Amino acid sequence: MLGRFIVFEGVEGGGKTTQLERSRQWLINSGWLTFLQAKGWVQQLVITREPGGTDLGRGLRQLLLQSTQEPIQDRAELLLYAADRAQHVEGFLRPHLTQRSLILCDRYTDSTIAYQGYGRGLDQTLIAQLNHIATNGLQSDLTLWLDLDVKTGLTRTHQRGKADRIEQADFTFHQRVQQGFTALAEANPHRIARINAAQPEVAVFQEIQVILSDRLTEWYGVRE
Ligand SMILES: Nc1ncnc2c1ncn2[C@@H]1O[C@H](COP(=O)(O)OP(=O)(O)O)[C@@H](O)[C@H]1O
Ligand SMILES: Cc1cn([C@H]2C[C@H](O)[C@@H](COP(=O)(O)OP(=O)(O)O)O2)c(=O)[nH]c1=O
């Protein structure tokens, strides 16, 4: 794969959206993007998210996050996230990676393991199979896990506005999700980098910047 695929993960209110935008600006302002483009190693920097990175996905996102009278069954929820991902991988991520894009993505397969696996309690083998069907094997090159305790995260999202269907799930659900991310990070120490997201925004980004600089150097060599 020619481009690089960086994912932001974590519980609700961890600061993914905020830090993804800071990372985008830093890649531009630090000169990294200009350098990589001048070398011909990166064509463009793109931002995307799951669910909702495609037209189909935006419809699915609305279905998944709006509050409903009829409860959405756990396996139906899992399949909707998988459908969003299949469309995103084939219609957006792979074409961009083939064209040497550097991709910053808000959530990916680890969210399904954490939310539908640890959170809902669905079988992890089933989830692994579905993730494989949806991605056809496409993994992130780097995942930045914004590690924040559930209570602080939910407080932040409540301050932001009305809670969506998943945010409304009970506290123990979100605690299981957090356990999921913790286990994933332990099992994948190189792919998943833990960030202490309980710090002020600027300090969180300083940690991210160190990791991004290291990883870009590992991938592309020292910047001239
Ligand atoms: N480090 C931080 N400290 C305090 N509040 C933060 C921090 N990072 C983000 N926020 C605020 O918390 C809320 C959730 O942040 P957001 O980036 O949308 O998180 P996520 O995308 O992970 O749900 C927003 O209102 C944001 O301004
Ligand atoms: C990608 C993915 C997300 N989710 C959930 C996590 C979030 O609650 C929700 C997506 O919201 P998110 O994109 O994090 O929205 P915001 O930035 O506005 O908080 O979907 C899953 O349950 N499984 C998945 O596979």
Side-chain angles (χ1 to χ4, degrees), residues 8-11 13-16 19 143-150 152-153 156 178 185 192-211:
F8 292 71
E9 287 280 13
V11 295
K16 296 182 312 306
Q19 298 298 335
T143 293
L144 297 161
W145 169 40
L146 293 164
D147 180 13
L148 182 67
D149 69 280
V150 171
T152 310
R156 284 186 193 170
Q178 174 69 345
I192 303 181
R194 178 191 171 270
I195 315 289
N196 175 8
Q199 311 170 83
E201 258 182 60
V202 173
V204 175
F205 183 68
Q206 267 162 6
E207 272 195 35
I208 291 179
Q209 187 183 319
V210 170
I211 291 163

Side-chain angles (χ1 to χ4, degrees), residues 168-188:
Q168 283 166 13
D170 61 51
F171 189 72
T172 54
F173 168 83
H174 292 288
Q175 279 182 316
R176 289 195 299 278
V177 171
Q178 174 69 345
Q179 283 164 13
F181 283 122
T182 308
L184 278 162
E186 272 166 18
N188 302 276

Side-chain angles (χ1 to χ4, degrees), residues 73-75 77-78 111-127 170 172-177 179-180:
Q73 301 300 324
D74 292 347
R75 271 178 302 141
E77 180 183 275
L78 172 66
S111 276
T112 315
I113 296 169
Y115 280 81
Q116 280 65 52
Y118 283 80
R120 301 291 189 217
L122 289 173
D123 179 49
Q124 288 291 359
T125 310
L126 172 68
I127 289 172
D170 61 51
T172 54
F173 168 83
H174 292 288
Q175 279 182 316
R176 289 195 299 278
V177 171
Q179 283 164 13

Side-chain angles (χ1 to χ4, degrees), residues 8-70:
F8 292 71
E9 287 280 13
V11 295
E12 315 293 327
K16 296 182 312 306
T17 313
T18 308
Q19 298 298 335
L20 194 149
E21 179 52 25
R22 276 184 180 267
S23 302
R24 187 185 75 83
Q25 279 170 14
W26 174 77
L27 284 163
I28 295 168
N29 297 335
S30 64
W32 261 109
L33 185 62
T34 315
F35 166 70
L36 294 172
Q37 285 174 327
K39 289 282 186 190
W41 294 333
V42 166
Q43 198 100 101
Q44 57 171 328
L45 173 62
V46 295
I47 309 295
T48 187
R49 71 171 173 186
E50 289 194 2
T54 60
D55 283 346
L56 175 68
R58 280 179 274 283
L60 292 171
R61 181 181 175 91
Q62 205 191 340
L63 290 175
L64 280 159
L65 298 186
Q66 74 195 359
S67 302
T68 49
Q69 280 280 319
E70 177 185 84

